[in-house]
Amino acid sequence: TYLFCIRNFSVAKCYCNNENDQQTLIDKVHSCYKSVSDFERFFQFSVIVCFSRCLVKRRTGKSGTLKPWIELAAACGFKDLALELRQLSKSVARFQEAAVQETEGGSTLELQVAFSSRVDDWFRENIAPLLIIEQRKAT
């Protein structure tokens, strides 16, 4: 599953069709990041953020959607991310209600756009600063 692959991500275990690609990948990582382990950590953090955002925007608040991602963030040592995602999970219903009020009588598309906008704003305010911190640690 995605969760297993992200938790166990390792540059050394990346499969490449061409054996030279493995070295190219390692060289690129060394040129852009402090170390392979810093890259792997940043990769995990970034992917958890991307999947979580996508799930919330697509599933629009189904109960438990973020639970495995919160658990993964905690297991990977991203305590602050896990806390923020837990808060997001609690905020989704409020975002939905606000979107419904804003688009009363509007189309499903308008409702989705209003909801999506709230999710984007929340990620920009709460997750983007954490992502920047992780990026600075890694590069």
Side-chain angles (χ1 to χ4, degrees), residues 15-113:
Y15 173 76
C16 298
N17 284 329
N18 181 330
E19 64 185 59
N20 294 332
D21 290 347
Q22 180 75 21
Q23 189 58 50
T24 301
L25 174 61
I26 292 168
D27 292 344
K28 189 68 171 175
V29 167
H30 283 295
S31 72
C32 296
Y33 296 88
K34 291 178 183 173
S35 70
V36 170
S37 63
D38 287 323
F39 166 75
E40 291 167 344
R41 177 181 167 86
F42 184 63
F43 173 87
Q44 289 172 314
F45 191 96
S46 301
V47 172
I48 293 168
V49 167
C50 290
F51 268 89
S52 297
R53 183 178 184 174
C54 182
L55 283 169
V56 169
K57 289 177 80 166
R58 301 272 189 293
R59 305 282 309 272
T60 58
K62 300 240 181 192
S63 180
T65 298
L66 286 178
K67 187 174 188 257
W69 298 93
I70 294 166
E71 291 170 354
L72 178 60
C76 290
F78 307 128
K79 186 174 72 172
D80 291 341
L81 178 59
L83 290 172
E84 289 295 343
L85 292 177
R86 198 169 285 117
Q87 280 305 116
L88 173 61
S89 184
K90 294 175 183 177
S91 301
V92 169
R94 185 171 34 92
F95 295 165
Q96 288 174 317
E97 291 169 18
V100 167
Q101 289 176 358
E102 180 182 314
T103 61
E104 196 167 321
S107 69
T108 303
L109 176 61
E110 290 171 328
L111 179 63
Q112 183 60 32
V113 167

